[in-house]
RNA sequence: AGUCUCUUAGCUCAGUUGGUAGAGCAUUACCUUGACAAGGUAGGGGUCAGCAGUUCGAGUCUGCUAGAGACUACCA
């Protein structure tokens, strides 16, 4: 069989995904081992409005690598996919569409029709991201795909809401909330971001004190809110204002008089020491207002224009227009003290960047006291465990300790409508259905709450609602039957015990094993899943959390549309291939941010091509039925025991591949993906391609069956280990290996059609570690490298074959003798003379290794000056190292206190250096 | 303001209980060697941001300084 000369990712990518999916390889049911341990991951559901970005690609790569790795090990794996209804995002898309196509507003078509449009939008555009995930090679079980607004997930939402309400963990109340005037909805604290503005102003307003000619100066960044002031507060201990406490202020621009009050909240040292109090527009002022029983005067509409309470002069004005007008009016009245430039951080809406207005509003909240304790208790036991642990473990715990109540209502139409109904008197009835609510109300006419729930409310249930939990008290959780059981029923095997109940997904797959996600939603999502899963299922949602870093643009800034520094994963797939992009992403240290660079992906594109070509070489010579036969009964022990594998290079590569396998598994176990990638990269390229294939070329080309079989086993093992990162390339190649078949699958998958994704993942075998072989091989490699160095430094063409002399101790002599052919081949030498002492003419280039003195007679070719420089350079280098060691070893403190092993190690090295330096010095003298 | 992270070769980054500084790319020289020029061979290049400390020994631990960044809170 002959492969194309270069790897073409496109064709491999088109060849396999559909077959994998249609064969049911992604579903846990493919696993035929009834005792298989489960391994489960739920995907952080991307927004239905979303399309694949680099952050997804990174996280999906990690989740897929873990899933494929565990699946190959024989676990019953499930990676569950799905999407999130993304309240505000979808709503905005539909509003835009409506405006563009029909010049209508949502109110023109009504809530019901709007809902239909939103669903239609979801149907039409919502699968963009799922199609892109197929391109990525994500081995998710599509048969279990979920959407946060699926009927059963919505039922779960309503039941959770009702339960929490009954227990008093959900309440409705008047609080200062974050209001986005553009989206016209309330936002949770976590949906508000900060933006620093340098052009802020701090305005000092003078308020006249009634019955005096005094004024009191307050400073504000939002002058328009003075229209809603209901007091001025000072610190009780502030001598400047003590005499004014209790007096009234004639609030300018209004007809109102407001009191001067004393409150500890005011810091006498800060600003003027006097603070205007606007209880309906500021959280701190709200608290002050509560303490002093102040009126709460809301002076804005929901679109942030001023309302009638702001006075006729201001009613209808936008908040910023009103702000300018207030300042202007104060100036006219001579009550404007000054306006200072002031750098200010403003709260802005995470999505639309509109400045958020804190206002007093009636909303639904989740009380966080008990919720926090649920999560905190687990957090103290390091559940979940974060990777990387620093800083997330601590940040997570600290955040929980300072948690505030969660605003869960949203003034939107797209989402889970709050299951609360009101009668004509405003009494509230919370129930999962309208009928139930009606029953509770005694049959009155009810109107459902118009708000929907925060998208993160349903996301918080994702860990268990996706597994069929609905919270229905009678029906319990739906039972998913095993494929086997379904077949029994279909076949009508009447005596099968119908009462045998296979475990539901909920029982089987929860807790999930790991959650892979970004830093930004640890609080927003991870914490809430922990709380709600514990609360409603009594289990951990997941054991581990892998926190991925941010893939930054080439400019080192987060990728964003406005910056235009985004890199599209799909473009990378087209340019370098899916596998190269995946393994590059996996090569980023867990949790670390990284600047995107194409060169990194190119490196792995080249790696893919290297793998392709190494396989190409092996297969060119493997069309051989004997090799086929032996491959199917292959295992490492078998290869190692084969007398034909007792050559040094064979023992060495078997040891190397075993060590690599053990290390790769360990790295994956601890979520050190970059470590696994690095191990595989260097094993494959350096050990396997550069040394092993080069050494074995002749045998392979000659069609030696044992050699071919062995090299294909190494290749097979390598491809399996690479598969979690490079699924397409490895499948494409593995299926071409002689003898690859379902017989090589993990025992759990013997029935399935052949695929590397079901092959056993190499675990490595410590019994195959061969320290002697590794030591001997490096002695041989050292000699070859030295000879190559001589050739390169002396600038001797490879066309010129020379004789190499080696002097060494007797046991090393026999090692070199045994590997004569290998040394000659890779050093491109003609003769090898091994003896106790070097016996060479003066016109020779010389070198030394730990185990050998080397000389290459170069009569007529040697440039003595070059050789002197070469030797001198080596002496300098070694001497520097020796000087360091001498110093260390002559330090009595070191020798006494350092571990004896370490001291001995350095002494050995010192002896080696001494020997090598002496040898090189002799060589140098011999030239003179 | 508080908490935390980062600063290692020209560039992008590894470096897991403190014990001779690594990779990829770039760079230099040579090589159309029968898998691969997306390749091979051999090189060059770092006082690990700075200062001080602990230690026989510090990229690694502690403190401070300077830059960069993250998060949380507040900002009248």
């Amino acid at each position: 069989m002959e492969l194309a000369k270069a790897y073409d990712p496109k064709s491999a990518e088109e060849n396999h995904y559909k077959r994998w999916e249609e064969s049911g390889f992604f579903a846990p049911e493919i696993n035929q081992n009834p005792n298989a341990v489960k391994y489960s991951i739920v995907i952080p559901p991307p927004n239905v409005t979303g399309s694949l970005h680099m952050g997804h690609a990174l996280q999906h790569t990690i989740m897929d690598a873990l899933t494929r790795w565990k699946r190959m090990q024989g676990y019953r794996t499930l990676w569950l996919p799905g999407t999130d209804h993304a309240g505000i995002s979808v709503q905005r898309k539909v509003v835009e569409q409506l405006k563009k196509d029909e010049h209508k507003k949502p109110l023109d078509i009504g809530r019901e029709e709007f809902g239909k449009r939103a669903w239609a939008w979801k149907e039409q555009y919502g699968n963009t991201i799922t199609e892109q995930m197929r391109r990525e090679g994500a081995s998710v079980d599509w048969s279990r795909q979920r959407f946060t607004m699926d009927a059963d997930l919505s039922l779960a939402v309503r039941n959770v809401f009702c339960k929490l309400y009954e227990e008093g963990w959900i309440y409705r109340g008047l609080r200062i909330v974050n209001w986005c005037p553009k989206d016209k909805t309330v936002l949770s604290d976590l949906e508000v971001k900060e933006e620093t503005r340098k052009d802020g102003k701090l305005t000092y307003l003078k308020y006249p004190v009634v019955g005096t000619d005094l004024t009191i100066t307050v400073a504000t960044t939002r002058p328009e809110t003075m229209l809603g002031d209901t007091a001025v507060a000072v610190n009780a201990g502030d001598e400047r204002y003590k005499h004014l406490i209790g007096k009234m202020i004639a609030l300018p621009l209004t007809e109102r008089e407001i009191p001067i009050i004393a409150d500890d909240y005011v810091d006498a040292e800060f600003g003027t020491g006097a603070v205007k109090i606007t209880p309906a527009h500021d959280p701190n002022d709200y608290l002050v207002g509560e303490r002093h029983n102040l009126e709460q005067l809301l002076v804005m509409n929901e679109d942030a224009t001023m309302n009638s309470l702001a006075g006729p002069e201001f009613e209808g004005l936008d908040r910023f227009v009103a702000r300018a007008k207030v300042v202007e009016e104060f100036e006219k009245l001579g009550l404007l003290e000054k306006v200072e430039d002031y750098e200010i951080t403003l709260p802005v809406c995470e999505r639309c960047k509109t400045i958020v207005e804190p206002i007093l509003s009636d909303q639904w909240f989740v009380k966080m006291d008990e919720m926090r304790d649920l999560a905190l208790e687990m957090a103290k036991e390091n559940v979940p465990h974060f990777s990387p642990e620093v800083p997330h473990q601590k940040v997570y715990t600290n955040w929980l300790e300072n948690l505030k109540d969660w605003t869960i209502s949203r003034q939107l139409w797209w989402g889970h409508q709050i299951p609360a109904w009101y009668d004509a008197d405003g009494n509230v009835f919370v129930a999962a259905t309208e009928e139930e609510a009606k029953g509770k109300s005694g049959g009155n006419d009810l109107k459902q709450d118009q708000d929907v729930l925060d998208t993160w409310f349903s996301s918080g249930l994702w860990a268990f609602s996706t597994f069929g939990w609905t919270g229905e008290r009678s029906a319990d959780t739906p039972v998913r039957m095993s494929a086997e059981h379904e077949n029994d029923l279909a076949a009508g095997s009447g005596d099968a015990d119908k009462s045998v109940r296979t475990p539901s997904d909920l029982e089987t797959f929860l807790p999930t094993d790991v959650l892979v996600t970004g830093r930004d939603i640890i609080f927003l999502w991870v914490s809430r899943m922990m709380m709600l899963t514990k609360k409603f299922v009594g289990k951990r949602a997941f054991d581990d959390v892998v926190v991925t870093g941010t893939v930054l643009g080439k400019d080192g800034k987060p990728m964003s549309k406005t910056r235009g520094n985004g890199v599209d994963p799909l473009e990378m797939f087209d340019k370098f291939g899916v596998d190269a992009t995946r393994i590059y992403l996996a090569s980023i240290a867990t949790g670390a941010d990284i600047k995107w660079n194409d060169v990194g992906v190119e490196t792995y594109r080249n790696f893919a091509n290297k793998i392709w070509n190494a396989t190409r070489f092996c297969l060119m010579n493997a069309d051989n039925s004997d090799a086929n036969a032996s491959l199917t009964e292959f295992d490492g022990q078998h290869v190692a025991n084969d007398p034909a594998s007792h050559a040094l290079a064979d023992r060495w590569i078997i040891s190397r591949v075993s060590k690599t396998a053990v290390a790769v598994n360990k790295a994956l176990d601890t979520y050190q993906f970059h470590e696994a990638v690095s191990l595989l990269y260097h094993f494959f390229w350096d050990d396997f391609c550069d040394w092993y294939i080069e050494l074995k070329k002749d045998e392979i080309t000659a069609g030696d069956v044992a050699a071919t079989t062995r090299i294909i086993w190494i290749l097979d093992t390598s491809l399996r280990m690479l598969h979690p990162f490079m699924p397409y390339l490895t499948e494409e190649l593995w299926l071409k290996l002689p003898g690859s078949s379902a017989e090589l699958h993990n025992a759990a998958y013997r029935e399935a059609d052949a695929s590397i994704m079901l092959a056993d993942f190499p675990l490595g075998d410590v019994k195959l570690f061969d320290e002697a072989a590794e030591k001997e091989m490096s002695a041989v490699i050292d000699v070859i490298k030295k000879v190559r160095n001589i050739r390169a430094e002396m600038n001797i063409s490879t066309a010129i074959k020379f004789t190499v002399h080696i002097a060494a101790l007797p046991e090393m002599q026999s090692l070199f003798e045994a590997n004569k052919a290998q040394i000659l081949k890779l050093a491109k030498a003609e003769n090898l003379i091994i003896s106790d002492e070097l016996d060479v003419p003066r016109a020779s280039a010389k070198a030394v290794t730990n185990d050998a003195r080397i000389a290459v007679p170069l009569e007529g070719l040697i440039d003595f000056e070059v050789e002197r420089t070469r030797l001198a350079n080596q002496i300098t280098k070694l001497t520097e190292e020796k000087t360091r060691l001498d110093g260390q070893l002559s330090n009595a403190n070191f020798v006494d206190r350092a571990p004896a092993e370490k001291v001995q190690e350095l002494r050995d090295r010192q002896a080696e250096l001494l020997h090598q330096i002496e040898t090189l010095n002799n060589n140098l003298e011999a030239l003179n």
Side-chain angles (χ1 to χ4, degrees), chain A residues 492-503:
Chain A
S493 51
D495 45 23
D497 183 356
K498 297 274 195 328
S499 70
V500 170
R501 187 172 164 281
T502 52

Side-chain angles (χ1 to χ4, degrees), chain A residues 1 226 231 233 256 265 276 311 409 439 462 477 495 591 775 796 914:
Chain A
M1 185 184 319
M226 63 77 51
R256 294 182 292 116
Y265 159 66
K276 62 190 274 305
S409 42
W462 187 252
T477 55
D495 45 23
K775 197 160 179 294
I796 295 166
L914 185 66

Side-chain angles (χ1 to χ4, degrees), chain A residues 1-5 611-620:
Chain A
M1 185 184 319
E2 176 133 359
L3 269 52
K5 208 169 172 185
I611 297 168
W612 177 268
N613 276 291
T615 308
R616 178 170 181 259
F617 170 73
C618 294
L619 293 187
M620 280 168 80

Side-chain angles (χ1 to χ4, degrees), chain A residues 104 187 232 262 378 392 399 423 431 472 496 507 552 556 600 868:
Chain A
K104 283 183 180 165
L187 302 171
V232 166
M378 289 187 276
H392 300 108
W399 181 80
D423 65 15
E472 285 300 276
E507 291 167 59
L552 306 168
R868 274 187 208 104

Side-chain angles (χ1 to χ4, degrees), chain A residues 306-324:
Chain A
M306 308 309 287
N307 66 19
S308 61
L309 294 177
E313 295 286 312
F314 294 93
E315 185 175 0
L317 295 182
D318 178 78
R319 54 184 163 166
F320 301 117
V321 177
R323 177 174 302 175

Side-chain angles (χ1 to χ4, degrees), chain A residues 324-338:
Chain A
K325 190 171 163 74
V326 164
V327 175
E328 200 178 300
E329 295 293 329
F330 266 77
E331 175 126 52
K332 279 187 200 158
L333 294 168
L335 293 173
L336 183 66
E337 187 172 306
K338 59 180 171 179

Side-chain angles (χ1 to χ4, degrees), chain A residues 804-821:
Chain A
V804 174
H805 294 250
I806 295 179
L809 296 173
E811 67 267 28
M812 295 316 280
Q813 285 187 31
S814 47
L815 171 69
F816 296 133
E817 189 62 48
N819 290 281
K820 196 169 181 174

